[in-house]
Amino acid sequence: MKAEEQERLRAACRATAAGHPALQRGQGVIAEECARSIENEIGGFLGAVIEDREKVYRSAEKALQPLMLLFDVALLQVCDMSHFGFQHAGGRAKIIWPGVLLPKRPRPNDVFYILTSNLAHAMQAFRLLILYGFESQARAAFRGVVEIVDLMIVVLADEATYRAYITSFEDPKAS
Protein backbone atom coordinates (compact mmCIF):
# COMPACT_ATOMS: atom_id res chain seq x y z
CA MET A 1 0.00 0.00 0.00
CA LYS A 2 1.11 3.53 -0.70
CA ALA A 3 1.71 5.84 2.26
CA GLU A 4 -1.30 8.01 1.42
CA GLU A 5 -3.53 4.93 1.15
CA GLN A 6 -2.29 3.70 4.53
CA GLU A 7 -3.05 7.06 6.10
CA ARG A 8 -6.56 7.10 4.60
CA LEU A 9 -7.12 3.59 5.93
CA ARG A 10 -5.96 4.57 9.42
CA ALA A 11 -8.11 7.71 9.32
CA ALA A 12 -11.14 5.63 8.29
CA CYS A 13 -10.49 3.16 11.14
CA ARG A 14 -10.14 6.04 13.64
CA ALA A 15 -13.36 7.67 12.36
CA THR A 16 -15.24 4.38 12.63
CA ALA A 17 -13.92 3.84 16.17
CA ALA A 18 -14.88 7.37 17.19
CA GLY A 19 -18.33 7.13 15.62
CA HIS A 20 -19.13 3.70 17.05
CA PRO A 21 -17.45 3.31 20.45
CA ALA A 22 -19.59 0.28 21.42
CA LEU A 23 -18.44 -1.54 18.30
CA GLN A 24 -14.85 -0.58 19.07
CA ARG A 25 -15.13 -1.96 22.63
CA GLY A 26 -16.83 -5.13 21.34
CA GLN A 27 -13.98 -5.83 18.94
CA GLY A 28 -11.43 -5.35 21.68
CA VAL A 29 -8.83 -3.78 19.39
CA ILE A 30 -7.81 -0.21 18.83
CA ALA A 31 -8.20 1.54 15.50
CA GLU A 32 -4.51 1.23 14.67
CA GLU A 33 -4.65 -2.55 15.13
CA CYS A 34 -7.68 -2.72 12.82
CA ALA A 35 -5.77 -0.75 10.20
CA ARG A 36 -2.73 -3.05 10.51
CA SER A 37 -4.98 -6.11 10.21
CA ILE A 38 -6.57 -4.74 7.04
CA GLU A 39 -3.14 -3.86 5.63
CA ASN A 40 -1.97 -7.43 6.31
CA GLU A 41 -5.05 -8.81 4.58
CA ILE A 42 -4.44 -6.59 1.56
CA GLY A 43 -0.79 -7.64 1.52
CA GLY A 44 -1.76 -11.30 1.73
CA PHE A 45 -4.89 -12.77 0.20
CA LEU A 46 -6.34 -9.62 -1.33
CA GLY A 47 -2.95 -8.63 -2.70
CA ALA A 48 -2.67 -12.03 -4.38
CA VAL A 49 -6.14 -11.61 -5.88
CA ILE A 50 -5.26 -8.16 -7.21
CA GLU A 51 -1.97 -9.44 -8.63
CA ASP A 52 -3.78 -12.38 -10.26
CA ARG A 53 -6.32 -9.99 -11.84
CA GLU A 54 -3.50 -7.90 -13.28
CA LYS A 55 -1.80 -11.01 -14.73
CA VAL A 56 -5.08 -12.16 -16.26
CA TYR A 57 -5.62 -8.70 -17.73
CA ARG A 58 -2.16 -8.63 -19.32
CA SER A 59 -2.46 -12.15 -20.74
CA ALA A 60 -6.04 -11.60 -21.96
CA GLU A 61 -5.09 -8.36 -23.64
CA LYS A 62 -2.22 -10.08 -25.46
CA ALA A 63 -4.21 -13.19 -26.44
CA LEU A 64 -7.33 -11.31 -27.48
CA GLN A 65 -5.63 -8.43 -29.28
CA PRO A 66 -6.56 -9.55 -32.85
CA LEU A 67 -10.19 -10.18 -31.89
CA MET A 68 -10.41 -7.04 -29.79
CA LEU A 69 -9.21 -5.00 -32.75
CA LEU A 70 -12.22 -6.18 -34.74
CA PHE A 71 -14.52 -5.59 -31.76
CA ASP A 72 -13.05 -2.11 -31.26
CA VAL A 73 -13.79 -1.22 -34.89
CA ALA A 74 -17.41 -2.28 -34.34
CA LEU A 75 -17.51 -0.32 -31.08
CA LEU A 76 -16.14 2.74 -32.86
CA GLN A 77 -18.90 2.48 -35.47
CA VAL A 78 -21.57 2.20 -32.76
CA CYS A 79 -20.07 5.20 -30.94
CA ASP A 80 -20.19 7.14 -34.22
CA MET A 81 -23.88 6.23 -34.61
CA SER A 82 -24.53 7.28 -31.03
CA HIS A 83 -22.74 10.58 -31.56
CA PHE A 84 -24.72 11.14 -34.76
CA GLY A 85 -27.91 10.46 -32.80
CA PHE A 86 -26.80 12.85 -30.05
CA GLN A 87 -26.09 15.60 -32.59
CA HIS A 88 -29.58 15.21 -34.06
CA ALA A 89 -31.47 14.43 -30.85
CA GLY A 90 -33.19 17.79 -30.66
CA GLY A 91 -33.23 18.44 -34.39
CA ARG A 92 -36.25 18.85 -36.62
CA ALA A 93 -35.08 16.48 -39.36
CA LYS A 94 -36.00 12.90 -38.47
CA ILE A 95 -33.35 10.20 -38.65
CA ILE A 96 -35.84 7.34 -38.77
CA TRP A 97 -38.61 7.30 -41.37
CA PRO A 98 -38.24 10.94 -42.39
CA GLY A 99 -41.37 10.84 -44.59
CA VAL A 100 -43.66 9.17 -42.04
CA LEU A 101 -45.85 11.08 -39.60
CA LEU A 102 -44.76 9.77 -36.18
CA PRO A 103 -45.76 10.84 -32.68
CA LYS A 104 -43.81 13.87 -31.45
CA ARG A 105 -43.18 12.36 -28.00
CA PRO A 106 -40.79 10.72 -27.63
CA ARG A 107 -38.98 12.27 -30.54
CA PRO A 108 -37.80 9.59 -33.02
CA ASN A 109 -34.27 11.02 -33.00
CA ASP A 110 -34.16 10.71 -29.21
CA VAL A 111 -35.23 7.06 -29.43
CA PHE A 112 -32.47 6.41 -31.97
CA TYR A 113 -29.90 8.15 -29.76
CA ILE A 114 -30.94 6.25 -26.63
CA LEU A 115 -30.81 2.88 -28.38
CA THR A 116 -27.38 3.51 -29.92
CA SER A 117 -26.05 4.99 -26.68
CA ASN A 118 -27.22 1.95 -24.71
CA LEU A 119 -25.55 -0.31 -27.27
CA ALA A 120 -22.26 1.59 -27.05
CA HIS A 121 -22.27 1.43 -23.25
CA ALA A 122 -23.09 -2.28 -23.21
CA MET A 123 -20.28 -2.99 -25.67
CA GLN A 124 -17.82 -0.99 -23.57
CA ALA A 125 -18.86 -2.90 -20.44
CA PHE A 126 -18.35 -6.21 -22.26
CA ARG A 127 -14.91 -5.11 -23.44
CA LEU A 128 -13.74 -4.21 -19.95
CA LEU A 129 -15.14 -7.36 -18.36
CA ILE A 130 -13.54 -9.70 -20.88
CA LEU A 131 -10.16 -7.96 -20.66
CA TYR A 132 -10.14 -8.09 -16.87
CA GLY A 133 -10.89 -11.81 -16.88
CA PHE A 134 -14.51 -11.75 -15.75
CA GLU A 135 -15.65 -14.31 -18.30
CA SER A 136 -19.08 -15.22 -16.93
CA GLN A 137 -19.98 -11.58 -16.32
CA ALA A 138 -18.73 -10.75 -19.83
CA ARG A 139 -20.99 -13.45 -21.26
CA ALA A 140 -23.97 -11.90 -19.48
CA ALA A 141 -22.98 -8.44 -20.71
CA PHE A 142 -22.63 -9.75 -24.27
CA ARG A 143 -26.12 -11.23 -24.08
CA GLY A 144 -27.23 -7.69 -23.22
CA VAL A 145 -25.40 -6.40 -26.30
CA VAL A 146 -27.20 -8.94 -28.50
CA GLU A 147 -30.56 -8.06 -26.94
CA ILE A 148 -30.03 -4.35 -27.59
CA VAL A 149 -29.02 -5.06 -31.21
CA ASP A 150 -32.12 -7.22 -31.65
CA LEU A 151 -34.26 -4.48 -30.14
CA MET A 152 -32.73 -1.88 -32.45
CA ILE A 153 -33.30 -4.03 -35.53
CA VAL A 154 -36.91 -4.72 -34.65
CA VAL A 155 -37.78 -1.20 -33.50
CA LEU A 156 -36.02 0.64 -36.33
CA ALA A 157 -37.01 -1.74 -39.14
CA ASP A 158 -40.76 -1.79 -38.65
CA GLU A 159 -42.94 1.25 -38.10
CA ALA A 160 -45.68 -0.66 -36.28
CA THR A 161 -43.13 -2.16 -33.87
CA TYR A 162 -41.63 1.30 -33.34
CA ARG A 163 -45.07 2.69 -32.47
CA ALA A 164 -45.67 -0.18 -30.04
CA TYR A 165 -42.21 0.33 -28.51
CA ILE A 166 -42.78 4.02 -27.76
CA THR A 167 -46.30 3.52 -26.45
CA SER A 168 -46.60 4.41 -22.79
CA PHE A 169 -49.57 3.19 -20.82
CA GLU A 170 -50.84 5.26 -17.92
CA ASP A 171 -53.12 2.44 -16.80
CA PRO A 172 -51.15 -0.40 -15.11
CA LYS A 173 -53.75 -2.92 -16.37
CA ALA A 174 -53.26 -1.77 -19.97
CA SER A 175 -49.49 -2.16 -19.74
Side-chain angles (χ1 to χ4, degrees):
M1 281 183 96
K2 296 177 185 172
E4 61 189 38
E5 292 171 334
Q6 288 177 330
E7 185 49 42
R8 279 195 302 238
L9 175 62
R10 287 189 175 101
C13 289
R14 285 191 296 271
T16 301
H20 304 283
L23 175 65
Q24 183 68 34
R25 282 190 303 276
Q27 288 181 336
V29 293
I30 61 171
E32 295 301 319
E33 288 177 29
C34 284
R36 276 193 299 277
S37 173
I38 293 170
E39 286 172 4
N40 290 339
E41 192 64 34
I42 289 172
F45 174 73
L46 292 176
V49 168
I50 291 169
E51 186 178 320
D52 181 60
R53 283 279 145 222
E54 289 172 358
K55 284 180 186 175
V56 166
Y57 175 76
R58 286 189 299 274
S59 68
E61 187 175 38
K62 185 177 179 181
L64 295 172
Q65 191 61 38
L67 295 173
M68 293 311 291
L69 180 62
L70 181 62
F71 184 83
D72 288 346
V73 169
L75 177 57
L76 180 62
Q77 294 298 314
V78 170
C79 287
D80 284 347
M81 282 192 327
S82 179
H83 182 69
F84 176 79
F86 177 73
Q87 287 178 319
H88 293 85
R92 292 172 113 30
K94 289 189 291 185
I95 296 172
I96 6 183
W97 304 297
V100 177
L101 185 62
L102 294 172
K104 294 189 187 292
R105 293 280 176 227
R107 294 185 297 225
N109 293 1
D110 293 353
V111 172
F112 178 80
Y113 166 66
I114 288 169
L115 287 171
T116 55
S117 175
N118 285 345
L119 179 58
H121 290 139
M123 289 176 72
Q124 290 169 6
F126 166 77
R127 185 183 194 286
L128 290 172
L129 288 168
I130 199 72
L131 285 177
Y132 278 96
F134 295 100
E135 183 187 353
S136 63
Q137 292 84 355
R139 287 174 187 253
F142 194 75
R143 282 191 295 273
V145 168
V146 171
E147 288 173 8
I148 295 170
V149 169
D150 287 346
L151 177 65
M152 285 180 67
I153 290 170
V154 169
V155 167
L156 300 178
D158 182 57
E159 181 188 339
T161 306
Y162 171 81
R163 289 180 185 275
Y165 178 71
I166 63 166
T167 301
S168 173
F169 297 101
E170 298 300 322
D171 180 20
K173 291 180 183 178
S175 63

